[in-house]
Every structure is written in structure tokens, then in C-alpha cells.
Amino acid sequence: MKQWNSRKTMYCFFILSIIFLVAVTIIGYFSYDKAMVVDFSRKNLPPSFSYPFGTDWMGRDMFARTMTGISMSIMLGFLAAAVSAVIAFSLGIIGASMGKAADGFVSGVIDLVMGIPHILLLVLISFALGKGFKGVVTGIAMTHWTSLARLIRGEVLQLKESQYIKIAEKLGHGKLKTAVKHMTPHLLPQILVGFVLLFPHAILHEAGITFLGFGLPPEQPAVGIILSEGMKYLTMGSWWLALFPGLLLTIVVVLFHLVGDTLGRLIDPGRIHQ
């Protein structure tokens, strides 16, 4: 009965978190036009019923800008995490199933990428591709796959010792066919959880490099830009310009992390009481 109650609680938390994140994404998507409206007659207004997050120095609605920025970060994080997960799966399964030469090459690439300071490599890739949406997505995707690739590689090495994999090889199945047909179904839970856990990293790094000026263009209502601009006005008493965007960003990142952890526990019943 305790196990059922624990799983039921985790299911409820998981569903509510997904609903909240989807709602934020949808609200932000449809708030883009409102977030770009400039009205100097309402500039620097503190939080109120009409403007829950206040307005900035150009009279723009900070609630609309914050929701739009978070929505952009979630959509960008989804794309970057998806590409990163595909790279991790492909290299992980190739490295562990295609022989020592392939394994050595993949392991070397993983060590090389992990040996370079993360944020530095991300900034260099984004800058080299002209920054903007394409540069940020590519940079995040190319720098966030290493840990998941190592996990998948380890899982594949264990699966290779399984009896049914050895039987498949004796029946004449090639290494790639065996990996795709027989190993992939067992790797899907790890890939799914890893994909979800890539979200908070992708969102934080997008906001980080945008804050530093190497990410999305300044005309976009991205969270990094909002925080960067808001920091300039903190000394003037406009505390709401940085507080609410930063707080909502933190909530979204923590929720994504908890959703990934909860998903891992639901997939693996042995972790339910951890």
C-alpha cells in the first residue's frame, strides 16, 4: 500500500509539473506581440494588479516579456536537448557495439569535449555560427551529449553480455542490426530520462550565454537579455525587472530537473522509495 501511495504521489506531481510547464510555454508563445509593445506612459511601474511583474523603462509589460522569454527558452531547450540526445545515442551505441576502434574513437571524442571548459566551448560554437537561435541550439547540442553518451555506452556494454544478444549474433545478425533491433528497446528509458534531464542544462546555458551577449539577439525578449538589461536598473530601485524573470527561470529549471528525476523513479520501481 505504501508503494502504491508513493507512486500515486509521484504521478500527480509529474502530471502537475508537465501541465505547468506546458501552460507557461503556451502563454509565452501567445504573449510575444504583447511583450514587444512599447508605451512610455507606463514606464517603470512597480508590480500591480494590471501588471503583475511591473513594467520596464520602455513601458513594456514584464509579465508578457518574462513568459515569452521562458517559452523561448523551453522551446530552444527542447530542440537542443533532442539533438543532443540523438548524438549521444548514436555515438554511445556505435562506440560500444562496433568494435574496439570505434569505441576508442568515440571515447576520445567524449574526453576531448569534456576536457574543454563547458561554457567556453559553448560560446565559441555559438559565436562561430553567428550567434542567434541557430548558433545557440547548435552550441548547446554539441556540448551536452557527452554524459548521456557515456551512460548509453555503459548500458550497451552490459547488454552485450546478455544471453539473447549472444544468440542474435550467432544467428548471423550484424552488430548494427543487433544494436538497433535488440538493444534500443532496453535503452529507451535511459534515453528518455537523459533527454528530460538535459532540459535544465540547456535552458540555463541559453540564458547564461545570452546574458553574456553571445546568444539570442538583443531585440528578442529572451530571459538572458531581460536579466542583463534589468541588472542595470537595480540601483534605481526597479528590483522587479530582475527578480521575477530570475525567479520564474529558477522554478522552471528546478521543475524540469524534478520531472526528469521523477520519470527515472517511475520507470525504475526499485528507486521509488529513494
Side-chain angles (χ1 to χ4, degrees):
M1 189 66 180
K2 290 183 179 180
Q3 184 176 0
W4 165 252
N5 288 335
S6 298
R7 291 186 69 84
K8 186 175 180 180
T9 300
M10 296 187 79
Y11 271 121
C12 291
F13 171 78
F14 181 80
I15 293 172
L16 290 175
S17 299
I18 293 296
I19 292 174
F20 175 81
L21 293 171
V22 171
V24 168
T25 305
I26 294 174
I27 293 173
Y29 179 80
F30 288 104
S31 298
Y32 182 84
D33 292 336
K34 187 178 180 181
M36 304 299 289
V37 174
V38 175
D39 184 356
F40 288 100
S41 65
R42 62 183 190 186
K43 64 179 183 180
N44 294 326
L45 295 179
S48 62
F49 183 78
S50 300
Y51 304 103
F53 290 4
T55 63
D56 63 6
W57 62 99
M58 297 179 67
R60 294 173 296 190
D61 188 344
M62 286 302 296
F63 177 79
R65 285 180 63 78
T66 300
M67 298 299 285
T68 301
I70 293 294
S71 177
M72 290 176 60
S73 295
I74 292 175
M75 290 187 286
L76 187 148
F78 178 86
L79 181 57
V83 175
S84 191
V86 171
I87 295 173
F89 169 73
S90 302
L91 292 181
I93 202 168
I94 288 173
S97 63
M98 300 301 291
K100 290 185 178 180
D103 189 32
F105 173 76
V106 171
S107 298
V109 173
I110 292 175
D111 292 338
L112 176 64
V113 175
M114 296 188 74
I116 303 174
H118 200 76
I119 191 68
L120 175 61
L121 182 59
L122 177 54
V123 167
L124 288 175
I125 294 174
S126 177
F127 186 78
L129 294 176
K131 301 185 287 187
F133 188 87
K134 177 183 177 182
V136 174
V137 170
T138 304
I140 294 174
M142 295 298 293
T143 57
H144 283 68
W145 57 270
T146 50
S147 297
L148 183 57
R150 275 188 167 177
L151 174 64
I152 293 174
R153 175 181 172 273
E155 291 289 334
V156 173
L157 289 174
Q158 290 184 353
L159 288 173
K160 285 175 66 177
E161 302 300 321
S162 301
Q163 194 67 29
Y164 77 99
I165 296 295
K166 294 181 179 180
I167 293 174
E169 292 175 349
K170 289 180 179 180
L171 291 175
H173 291 190
K175 292 182 178 180
L176 187 58
K177 181 180 179 180
T178 300
V180 173
K181 185 176 180 180
H182 299 290
M183 293 184 181
T184 300
H186 293 272
L187 297 172
L188 287 179
Q190 287 84 354
I191 296 171
L192 180 60
V193 174
F195 165 69
V196 176
L197 289 176
L198 283 172
F199 263 92
H201 296 280
I203 292 173
L204 278 178
H205 281 100
E206 177 273 320
I209 65 171
T210 300
F211 180 86
L212 295 173
F214 296 99
L216 298 177
E219 65 269 13
Q220 294 290 337
V223 177
I225 294 171
I226 293 173
L227 292 175
S228 178
E229 294 176 344
M231 294 293 290
K232 303 174 184 178
Y233 291 85
L234 286 180
T235 56
M236 299 174 60
S238 301
W239 50 269
W240 58 88
L241 297 180
L243 175 63
F244 293 117
L247 183 61
L248 188 57
L249 175 64
T250 303
I251 292 173
V252 168
V253 168
V254 171
L255 275 181
F256 267 119
H257 178 77
L258 293 177
V259 165
D261 185 65
T262 302
L263 183 61
R265 294 178 182 229
L266 292 174
I267 291 176
D268 182 7
R271 295 179 56 204
I272 194 69
H273 293 298
Q274 293 181 2

